[in-house]
Every structure is written in C-alpha cells, then in structure tokens.
Amino acid sequence: MPEPITFPRDFLWGAATSAYQIEGAVREDGRTPSIWDTFSHTPGRTAGGDTGDVAVEHYHRYRDDVALMADLGLNAYRFSVSWSRVQPTGRGPAVQRGLDFYRRLVDELLARGIRPALTLYHWDLPQELEDAGGWPVRETALRFAEYASIVGEALGDRVSSWITLNEPWCSAFLGYGSGVHAPGRTDPAAALHAAHHLNLAHGLGAQALRAALPARAQVAVSLNSAVVRAVSDDARDQDARRRIDNLANGIFHGPMLHGAYPADLFADTARVTDWSCVREGDLAAAHQPLDALGLNYYTPALVSAAPEGTGSRRADGHGASDHSPWPGSDDVAFHQTPGERTEMGWTIDPTGLHELIMRYAREAPGLPLYITENGAAYDDKPDPEGRVHDPERIAYLHGHLAAVRRAIADGADVRGYYLWSLLDNFEWSYGYGKRFGAVYVDYETQVRTPKSSAHWYATVAGAGELPGELVAD
C-alpha cells in the first residue's frame, strides 16, 4: 500500500455554510428580507419555487449542529452572518437579538474547541439597500463598512478569523449580469459597477474591521478565482482566455492584492462602460493589507474564440440564462471540460485546484492561503437502513485534498481546508435539488444523518493524513 499523505500538524480541518442557505427563521427577531428572500419568492426564479424560509432550521438547531461538528472532529467552522438579521435596513443601529444569535453560536463553537471563521457577506444584501440601487451604487460599499464595524465590535472578542466577502464575482456577475442569482438583474454595465463597489466594500470593510478588532485578528477575503484554460494555443483562443481570466480573476485580485485593475480590462469592456464609477482613492482603499486569502474551487473553465458569426456558447457552469455573466465577451465560447462530472454538471479536476493554489502562491507570496470552499453535489439517498453512502464524494475529496497536499509540498503556504458543505441545504436557484452536504438532511423531518463522506473526512481530520490509496466505500 502507498504511504499515507500527511498534512502539517496545525492544518485546519473545517466545513463551511452560509446564513441564507441554512438558518431559516427569516421573519424572527427583527430580521427583514434580503435580496434572496425577494428573489426566491419570485415565481420562476428557483427550482420548484423553493425558498430559504425554513432551510434546515439552523437558527433553532445550532447547538445540535455544533455538537455534530464536534463529533466529526472538525476544528474549524466557516459561517456567514445575515446582514438583514443584524442591521435590517442596511443602515443604522444593530438589532441586538440578531447579534445575540451569533454570540450564542460562537460561544458554542468555542466551548467545543472549534475555531469560528466569520464571513460578513455571503450574497444576502438587505432588500432596502437593493431598492436604493444595490451593489452598482457606491453607497452600498459605505453601508457595508458600517455593518462590518458593527459585527466586528460585537464579536471581535470571540472571533479571530474574519472574511469580508464571499465570491464577489457571483454577487456582481450572476446577480447583475446573467440574473440567475439575486437580485436577478441583467445589465452588463451594472455588473461591472457592482464588481468595483464590491472591491471598495472589501477595502472599507477591512479598514472597519481593523479599527474594531484586536490586533491578533486575521482579516481575509474568499474569491472563487477561476482556473481558465484555452482549447488551443491559437492566438485568438489565448486572447479569449486572457479576457475571461481578467473578468473572473484580475477584476478582483488586481485591486485587492495589487491596487490596480488589469490594464486591458478597461479596453476589453469599453463598449459596456466608461468605468466612471472608479473615483480617485478607490483603488488605494480596496488595496488593504490582508492576513490570509481564501480560495474557493469546484471546476475549471475551458474557453475559445467563438467561430465568426456564431455568437458565444456558454457551458460555463453558471446556470441557464439568455444573458451572459461575462460583459464584453460575446465572442468568447465556453466549452464543457472532459471527464467525470458531479450532479451540478461540473467536471471533476483536482489538477485545477493545485494550479489555482500555485498561481496565488506566486501572485501573493507570503500570504497564507485557505481553501474556504471545495466540494461536490451528488444525488444522495438513504439506504433501507437509513445510511447514506456517497463513495463518489469520498473520491472527490480524496483527489482534491491530495492536490492541496501536493501544493504544500511545492511550496504553497496552505493552512486549512473547509469542506463545502457541512449540511445539505438551500442551493440558491437550484432550490433543494442539489445536495453538497457531508451530512444528509431530511427536509421534511430535519433529521441529520452523517454520510459516509462525513465519517471518512472525520477520520482524515483526526489523523491529519490521507490514505495513500483510496479504498472504495
């Protein structure tokens, strides 16, 4: 048998969730609607008309869920705060009942020896801020900084790991470009303006956190940076790859890590916007020192120049829409990458995770990296004895964790891995039809059942090593 693959002794083994996907209790303790409440209650927006109204009742079951994490041997948990639960209008003073929930959650985690990693924004903008213009307007970034200060002051004595934004690409381009995410708008210029104001919000939020938190606190951001590959070495295909890489990656890591947008991004999108939303001082504000960088990875992207006169084809894995989330790229074609796929239709390719890690090890040398999301959806079902066997997910996790360890061996400073997701949950526009959880949830009874992958992951986390060879479940 091959030797086990050993991880560093202080490596964090965690799982991740987000507020709207699991909490439920959407009308309790002062919470008001977010854009996802509005979107999911709009006919035709989500599969089966599903909403997060109940989700998996984590708001009332959090103690049991934390106990479950402890039983699985997790030493870290990444969760998000619902902005509209804490600051219902997106302005003004906090609702203490909302903050109290997160105080109780964090206290429960700490009592169980689990390190909390708090994400301030995982896509659930208060509806009142969207009504005032949403992320395409500058004011939203200013409001985010105020919100960051509120949460930082309330929980800074308990939480040492902070993440400003989760996947701002999705917030900007799926929310305002293709419209497959809340708020469901389809305006390419608005999507680009939203991206800029999310960069600004990150920087202002990081400043607000540093003013509110103890010096020991760690401030980071989680990006779903894409691994973009071209179908060939042809110059036109390579240029398509460059353009999509700028829209997927450079548009965020440029300002956040380097204080500048890629020079050719403005030229590529000039027919969409003049970028007048970028004001003097914005890029300096976005470029705040970070203590770590979170990377979310699921599958690579494969692109080419679209054959002339055919228009773009989109097999980019980001949902069906007549509107593209890639402004100014109508002549770029997206292709399904070859190989086995998950229930989402996403190709399984651990080499992409290794490639992504090594890119950011070069892009931001000296900056610690965390894999803040990685996982797979499968059509999980209990067997007659009530057990849930998911060998496909175990194979997926084994391959991707091996890629993480290879990156560490190649010199990358990767300090932790957060499995997406702890629980089956509301999967955005897919409703409850896609199960990413290591723990199966019966949505009728809310009974939790750890799947085979949860037990496997617990064994790996407890030993700090992967089996050298994957044994079928």
Side-chain angles (χ1 to χ4, degrees):
M1 290 285 289
E3 288 294 313
I5 303 167
T6 303
F7 281 74
R9 184 179 297 274
D10 57 354
F11 193 80
L12 287 180
W13 298 94
T17 64
S18 87
Y20 189 72
Q21 292 181 274
I22 67 168
E23 284 182 1
V26 296
R27 299 175 188 86
E28 294 185 35
D29 293 336
R31 185 188 180 278
T32 58
S34 74
I35 54 175
W36 270 98
D37 294 278
T38 303
F39 185 85
S40 64
H41 279 271
T42 302
R45 291 296 201 179
T46 64
D50 290 343
T51 75
D53 287 3
V54 176
V56 296
E57 292 186 346
H58 176 72
Y59 192 76
H60 297 295
R61 297 172 180 262
Y62 71 92
R63 288 189 177 88
D64 292 339
D65 290 339
V66 173
L68 186 55
M69 294 179 223
D71 289 344
L72 294 174
L74 303 185
N75 59 17
Y77 174 54
R78 177 179 171 236
F79 65 96
S80 77
V81 171
S82 165
W83 189 345
S84 59
R85 194 180 292 287
V86 167
Q87 199 185 25
T89 66
R91 297 178 176 84
V95 171
Q96 291 303 316
R97 288 171 296 170
L99 282 172
D100 285 345
F101 166 70
Y102 297 106
R103 291 184 177 108
R104 293 192 301 270
L105 171 62
V106 169
D107 287 347
E108 196 75 17
L109 290 166
L110 293 174
R112 295 280 191 161
I114 299 169
R115 175 178 171 175
L118 187 155
T119 301
L120 284 170
Y121 186 74
H122 198 130
W123 307 351
D124 47 356
L125 188 71
Q127 183 61 44
E128 286 202 24
L129 290 184
E130 173 59 27
D131 293 342
W135 286 113
V137 303
R138 185 179 200 82
E139 181 70 13
T140 306
L142 306 182
R143 298 283 66 77
F144 179 77
E146 180 182 71
Y147 160 64
S149 181
I150 287 171
V151 181
E153 289 174 1
L155 293 168
D157 62 335
R158 296 165 166 86
V159 178
S160 60
S161 296
W162 294 76
I163 294 166
T164 54
L165 307 173
N166 177 76
E167 298 187 355
W169 186 88
C170 295
S171 297
F173 295 108
L174 301 184
Y176 295 93
S178 66
V180 299
H181 277 194
R185 290 162 61 179
T186 54
D187 179 344
L192 291 168
H193 296 171
H196 176 65
H197 294 131
L198 283 155
N199 282 322
L200 181 60
H202 158 73
L204 296 177
Q207 288 178 329
L209 286 175
R210 293 200 188 283
L213 298 176
R216 61 182 171 78
Q218 182 186 73
V219 177
V221 65
S222 285
L223 302 177
N224 58 318
S225 296
V227 175
V228 186
R229 297 166 176 166
V231 298
S232 79
D233 292 332
D234 180 87
R236 293 181 67 242
D237 293 341
Q238 289 296 321
D239 190 61
R241 189 209 64 78
R242 175 197 62 79
R243 289 161 61 192
I244 297 304
D245 186 77
N246 275 343
L247 283 170
N249 303 320
I251 196 169
F252 293 109
H253 78 221
M256 291 181 183
L257 300 181
H258 308 301
Y261 284 108
D264 44 5
L265 173 68
F266 292 157
D268 292 341
T269 57
R271 66 180 184 271
V272 179
T273 180
D274 62 4
W275 288 91
S276 58
C277 60
V278 182
R279 297 186 189 175
E280 185 175 354
D282 283 2
L283 292 173
H287 183 212
Q288 295 300 309
L290 290 173
D291 301 302
L293 178 65
L295 299 175
N296 297 356
Y297 172 82
Y298 293 94
T299 192
L302 185 64
V303 302
S304 70
E308 199 160 335
T310 64
S312 66
R313 298 192 305 275
R314 236 182 9 96
D316 63 358
H318 292 300
S321 173
D322 293 334
H323 303 271
S324 172
W326 306 101
S329 300
D330 294 340
D331 53 353
V332 173
F334 288 79
H335 306 270
Q336 175 72 55
T337 52
E340 293 183 35
R341 303 179 193 175
T342 69
E343 192 70 15
M344 295 292 288
W346 298 342
T347 304
I348 303 166
D349 188 348
T351 68
L353 180 54
H354 177 269
E355 182 179 331
L356 181 69
I357 294 168
M358 298 314 298
R359 172 179 184 165
Y360 281 93
R362 296 186 299 270
E363 192 83 35
L367 189 63
L369 304 175
Y370 292 84
I371 307 308
T372 41
E373 283 186 28
N374 177 239
Y378 289 104
D379 186 20
D380 304 313
K381 293 183 174 66
D383 68 13
E385 286 75 41
R387 298 170 300 186
V388 183
H389 296 287
D390 56 343
E392 302 92 347
R393 185 173 287 103
I394 292 172
Y396 181 100
L397 295 176
H398 189 281
H400 287 79
L401 283 166
V404 172
R405 186 61 183 89
R406 184 158 64 92
I408 294 171
D410 290 342
D413 184 10
V414 187
R415 300 190 181 182
Y417 177 92
Y418 292 85
L419 166 67
W420 187 270
S421 176
L422 175 68
L423 303 162
D424 290 336
N425 55 44
F426 176 78
E427 188 51 41
W428 308 113
S429 59
Y430 295 95
Y432 295 97
K434 306 295 183 185
R435 292 181 179 270
F436 275 89
V439 175
Y440 182 88
V441 179
D442 182 319
Y443 296 125
E444 294 296 321
T445 65
Q446 297 294 346
V447 170
R448 277 85 157 127
T449 303
K451 304 173 188 178
S452 297
S453 61
H455 297 297
W456 179 89
Y457 187 59
T459 300
V460 169
E465 63 182 28
L466 281 173
E469 184 173 270
L470 183 64
V471 178
D473 180 34

